[in-house]
Amino acid sequence: MPTMVTMQMSLVKSCNVSDCAYFKQGNQCHAMAITVGGPHPYCDTFFRSSGKGGAEQTGAVGACKVDNCKYNIKLECSAEGIDVGAHEDHADCKTFSPR
Ligand code: SF4
């Protein structure tokens, strides 16, 4: 039987990408769960929209495909929280740290 990973979801502590549909005042992400990567550590949930969406809760990392990050365990994020920020024309996980 395959081994299951039991861990807490990593919260998005801050995000400064204000033109994302999930951005809310106070540098908060309100997507229920984002996907990161890969192999570059971009936020795959980011999209530009004049309308705002998301839930009344802080976003978390639902999945991460950046398997060369030291926080990545079996394609899930084990960091206590992540910061997301603008990079060129997209949003990146700034907590990414190569192994
Ligand atoms: S810290 Fe590493 S494992 Fe966690 S979301 Fe960012 S790139 Fe993925």
Side-chain angles (χ1 to χ4, degrees):
M1 183 180 282
T3 308
M4 298 283 287
V5 179
T6 303
M7 55 203 293
Q8 296 282 319
M9 284 175 84
S10 176
L11 295 179
V12 179
K13 290 185 298 181
S14 73
C15 176
N16 68 8
V17 188
S18 58
D19 57 347
C20 177
Y22 295 104
F23 177 88
K24 296 242 171 100
Q25 258 189 340
N27 282 10
Q28 293 186 329
C29 170
H30 281 247
M32 287 182 76
I34 68 168
T35 299
V36 176
H40 184 84
Y42 59 83
C43 174
D44 201 24
T45 304
F46 163 69
F47 83 106
R48 286 188 180 85
S49 172
S50 54
K52 294 292 182 192
E56 288 305 317
Q57 63 189 70
T58 303
V61 182
C64 178
K65 295 174 271 181
V66 188
D67 62 0
N68 67 335
C69 176
K70 72 178 186 184
Y71 296 111
N72 194 299
I73 299 175
K74 296 187 180 217
L75 303 177
E76 300 289 355
C77 180
S78 69
E80 276 186 28
I82 70 162
D83 298 305
V84 176
H87 177 226
E88 297 176 350
D89 65 345
H90 58 271
D92 268 2
C93 171
K94 298 294 190 183
T95 306
F96 166 72
S97 179
R99 290 185 200 276

